[in-house]
Amino acid sequence: MLQRAIDQDQLNAFLSRWTADQAATLHAATVVIGDKLGLYKALAQGGRQTAPALAASTGLNPRLVREWLNAQVASGYCEYEPESAVYWLTPEQAACLAEPDSPTFVAGGALVSNASHYDTDRVVRAFRDDGGIGWHEHHQHLFEGTQRFFEPIYRRHLVKDWIPALDGMEARLRRGARVADIGCGQGASLILMARTFPASRFTGFDYHVDSIKAAQRNAEKAQVADRVSFQVTGAQDFEGEDFDLICVFNALHEWGDAVGAASRIREALAPEGLWMFTEPLADPYPQESVRGRTFFSVSTCVCTPSALSQGGRESMGAQAGEAELRRVAHAAGFTRFRRAAETPMFMVLEAS
């Protein structure tokens, strides 16, 4: 089969895109650095300041601080005035980069990208072997980054939008309900719900020991440990029955036997109980989009290897789509399935 001659304009356009992607990839490391060293926070709190002033307030190397600041300017992550050589964050930049309690904070999520680079050699080996990498085998930055990426999303949507979208669930939680979170990670969603619905009781399950330990510490710090507990167990082995609400936040596609896990969830629900689970929005077929680039990439490195490591029947990946998720729910015995809410990146599904 003859290939057509290279179109120079298309070639240049692709090279321009690759150059931009490389720049973004490299810049992501400076976001991790700025977050870990408190540079964004100090820049936001100090207002307009020079590089030496920021270095002095943080106790960091002045030359490296100046280079880091210029990297932020080049990427649009801070502002700069050449005449006075001062740098500052706009309120919008600060809300995303310097304020961990902000519902739009994203800097902590850069650790997820960082983890994928730490784990590249491990993923290459998985390609050449059985494809499996357990969640626990990844770099620590993945666990911390996942918590810090999703927690602001939960603060922005979980109690305000998602719970009210479920059929009658908000009133039940206020009266007092039993709630489980399967694949709970470090406990962010349950802690938020426990603060909002003090009459209810919450249990988180996750097979990753270190995440459960972190979740217990986080619950104690949030002063909700009296109504939130955590257990180390897998998605099909968790204990308990008659839960009014079982949640699964962006974890179903990482399980090797999604139907088996969904079946166990159905068995553990009370007669009028609901299963709420979130999954990434997906296009009907692969196409160019920021969402697709994000989720197919993380699925290649994390989600699909996680499912393959479990030796089960499923390896859906992070872009399984609503039709496939509906199939899983119906195969597990759920008869009612609907999309209750969505964000630009995720859908909130309800099954009973």
Side-chain angles (χ1 to χ4, degrees), residues 1-14:
M1 178 177 172
L2 294 177
Q3 287 187 321
R4 66 168 174 80
I6 289 177
D7 182 300
Q8 196 63 42
D9 290 338
Q10 291 188 31
L11 178 64
N12 290 337
F14 180 80

Side-chain angles (χ1 to χ4, degrees), residues 26-304:
L26 292 168
H27 178 70
T30 76
V31 176
V32 174
I33 292 166
D35 178 54
K36 281 188 168 292
L37 293 177
L39 283 163
Y40 290 121
K41 185 176 182 180
L43 187 58
Q45 292 177 341
R48 296 164 63 93
Q49 55 194 295
T50 64
L54 181 62
S57 69
T58 55
L60 300 172
N61 183 279
R63 183 64 187 88
L64 287 179
V65 167
R66 175 157 63 90
E67 208 70 4
W68 178 86
L69 281 166
N70 289 335
Q72 306 315 298
V73 174
S75 286
Y77 279 46
C78 82
E79 306 302 308
Y80 177 62
E81 184 179 82
E83 294 77 14
S84 55
V86 297
Y87 304 80
W88 71 96
L89 293 178
T90 67
E92 296 77 17
Q93 290 165 339
C96 295
L97 300 171
E99 301 170 8
D101 292 333
S102 165
T104 58
F105 181 72
V106 293
L111 288 168
V112 175
S113 302
N114 209 41
S116 69
H117 292 281
Y118 273 116
D119 289 335
T120 298
D121 288 344
R122 180 175 282 118
V123 176
V124 168
R125 290 195 297 272
F127 266 81
R128 291 170 172 159
D129 197 357
D130 62 3
I133 304 173
W135 175 265
H136 64 283
E137 297 181 80
H138 287 281
H139 191 273
Q140 172 64 31
H141 279 185
L142 177 62
F143 318 134
E144 181 184 351
T146 299
Q147 163 83 1
R148 298 184 69 202
F149 173 76
F150 280 106
E151 188 171 11
I153 296 174
Y154 299 150
R155 284 199 301 266
R156 188 159 68 248
H157 295 292
L158 178 56
V159 173
K160 177 185 175 185
D161 303 318
W162 297 351
I163 295 296
L166 302 178
D167 188 14
M169 186 51 63
E170 184 175 18
R172 293 167 68 178
L173 288 168
R174 295 200 182 282
R175 290 194 303 267
R178 296 185 66 227
V179 181
D181 182 358
I182 316 302
C184 67
Q186 298 184 9
S189 60
L190 287 185
I191 290 169
L192 178 60
M193 285 192 283
R195 283 172 163 169
T196 308
F197 306 110
S200 293
R201 294 297 177 263
F202 305 86
T203 307
F205 302 96
D206 201 298
Y207 93 99
H208 187 228
V209 175
D210 289 345
S211 288
I212 289 296
K213 290 179 179 178
Q216 291 169 335
R217 293 193 298 269
N218 292 336
E220 291 168 2
K221 183 178 179 180
Q223 298 182 333
V224 295
D226 60 322
R227 51 190 181 273
V228 183
S229 62
F230 298 95
Q231 297 179 26
V232 178
T233 187
Q236 292 176 250
D237 305 322
F238 66 91
E239 298 179 351
E241 304 293 338
D242 293 325
F243 289 104
D244 299 286
L245 176 65
I246 295 181
C247 306
V248 177
F249 294 101
N250 288 284
L252 181 67
H253 63 264
E254 297 192 10
W255 296 341
D257 185 1
V259 172
S263 297
R264 172 65 189 119
I265 288 169
R266 184 179 59 80
E267 292 171 357
L269 283 170
E272 301 298 322
L274 297 177
W275 176 28
M276 177 183 75
F277 61 110
T278 63
E279 283 286 319
L281 283 167
D283 297 311
Y285 52 85
Q287 58 182 296
E288 185 176 327
S289 69
V290 172
R291 186 172 65 217
R293 294 181 74 193
T294 299
F295 289 122
F296 275 119
S297 295
V298 73
S299 192
T300 300
C301 296
V302 178
C303 309
T304 303

